[in-house]
């Protein structure tokens, strides 16, 4: 995608949603970290449903450690991979207490030392909590970036690198939110809804998908 088209791509998404936010619910940076860890291979809606009661009383590492792994599992058992995730959340909570004084570090390298926290999770926490210009690449961002031609890369790291290099101001802070939401609600995995896409003329995807009403009945 050409430089001018990249600017226009983001401009249109920003015009439709000037202040995008994560759909994960949290009350502070610690609960945000926990929510992002829990969201791996799970939907934000599913995580929110499981954590509302949890975050009503557990809002810091000490409270999580006191709740314990079994107690945490009772809250998140509807989330995929909940056993592993519960183990990681308790372990990272212990580490936050022992190494970071109970505070979530605001450095990506330090965040990545926590159990269950990879580069994407660290990038999300830094962006959402601190407004850092990071470019977390989840499945939605990876798909949209490649499908549209915005940032074609064979790996998550390659796509992140291209997005970081080519995303212009004033769109850098919210870029990944726009891409996630576009992928979640318009540029869907199985069938992108090209007929209602605001950036259809800038997108490299071919052939464009037709509205359901225009799809021949014989192939629906």
């Amino acid at each position: 995608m050409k430089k001018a088209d990249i600017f226009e791509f983001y401009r249109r998404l920003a015009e439709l949603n000037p202040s995008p936010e994560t759909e994960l619910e949290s009350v502070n940076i610690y609960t945000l970290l926990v929510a992002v860890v829990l969201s791996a291979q799970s939907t934000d809606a599913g995580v929110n449903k499981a954590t509302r009661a949890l975050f009503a009383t557990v809002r810091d590492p000490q409270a999580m450690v006191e709740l314990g792994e079994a107690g945490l599992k009772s809250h998140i058992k509807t989330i995929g991979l909940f056993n592993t995730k519960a183990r990681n959340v308790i372990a990272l909570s212990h580490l936050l207490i022992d190494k970071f004084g109970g505070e979530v570090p605001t450095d990506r390298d330090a965040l990545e030392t926590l159990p269950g926290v990879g580069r994407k999770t660290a990038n999300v926490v830094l962006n959402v909590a601190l407004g850092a210009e990071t470019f977390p690449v989840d499945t939605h961002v990876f798909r949209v970036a490649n499908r549209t031609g915005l940032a074609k890369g064979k790996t998550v790291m390659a796509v992140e690198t291209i997005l970081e290099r080519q995303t212009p101001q004033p769109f850098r802070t919210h870029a990944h939110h726009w891409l996630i939401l576009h992928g979640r609600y318009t540029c869907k995995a199985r069938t992108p809804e090209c007929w209602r896409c605001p950036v259809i003329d800038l997108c490299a995807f071919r052939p464009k998908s037709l509205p359901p009403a225009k799809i021949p009945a014989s192939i629906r």
Side-chain angles (χ1 to χ4, degrees):
M1 195 178 290
K2 296 179 181 178
K3 186 175 181 180
D5 290 340
I6 292 173
F7 187 94
E8 180 63 12
F9 182 98
Y10 283 118
R11 189 199 67 76
R12 293 184 194 176
L13 296 182
E15 184 176 49
L16 292 172
N17 187 359
S19 302
E21 297 180 348
T22 179
E23 293 185 327
L24 283 173
E25 297 173 4
S26 63
V27 297
N28 56 29
I29 189 171
Y30 171 72
T31 56
L32 172 65
L33 173 63
V34 172
V36 179
V37 169
L38 295 178
S39 71
Q41 300 180 52
S42 301
T43 65
D44 287 1
V47 172
N48 291 339
K49 185 176 180 180
T51 58
R52 284 184 188 123
L54 174 68
F55 293 160
T57 56
V58 178
R59 300 186 173 192
D60 58 64
Q62 187 60 47
M64 187 68 76
V65 168
E66 291 173 0
L67 176 66
E69 189 173 324
L72 177 56
K73 286 181 182 180
S74 70
H75 283 278
I76 66 169
K77 59 187 177 183
T78 58
I79 299 176
L81 305 175
F82 73 92
N83 285 311
T84 299
K85 291 175 180 178
R87 187 162 55 249
N88 283 335
V89 168
I90 296 300
L92 74 81
S93 298
H94 276 293
L95 191 56
L96 288 175
I97 294 168
D98 297 340
K99 188 176 180 179
F100 298 102
E103 301 294 328
V104 176
T106 56
D107 170 83
R108 182 161 54 199
D109 290 339
L111 280 167
E112 288 188 58
T113 66
L114 300 172
V117 178
R119 185 178 180 89
K120 188 206 79 173
T121 295
N123 278 339
V124 170
V125 171
L126 293 174
N127 177 270
V128 174
L130 304 174
E133 293 180 357
T134 60
F135 298 84
V137 178
D138 68 353
T139 55
H140 296 300
V141 174
F142 188 82
R143 179 178 68 256
V144 170
N146 275 285
R147 182 184 275 170
T148 62
L150 178 69
K152 296 182 73 67
K154 294 182 178 180
T155 66
V156 166
M157 193 65 221
V159 170
E160 180 185 334
T161 300
I162 296 168
L163 288 174
E164 186 163 15
R165 182 176 69 243
Q166 296 189 167
T167 300
Q169 293 291 8
F171 309 115
R172 294 177 64 82
T173 301
H174 294 313
H176 93 278
H177 284 126
W178 285 313
L179 298 178
I180 288 172
L181 295 172
H182 188 60
R184 185 173 290 162
Y185 298 111
T186 303
C187 196
K188 300 176 181 180
R190 182 170 294 182
T191 304
E193 298 181 0
C194 301
W195 63 89
R196 64 183 191 87
C197 175
V199 292
I200 185 171
D201 56 311
L202 305 174
C203 173
F205 179 70
R206 299 290 186 278
K208 306 297 187 188
S209 56
L210 299 172
K214 295 185 179 180
I215 298 176
S218 60
I219 61 173
R220 286 182 194 171

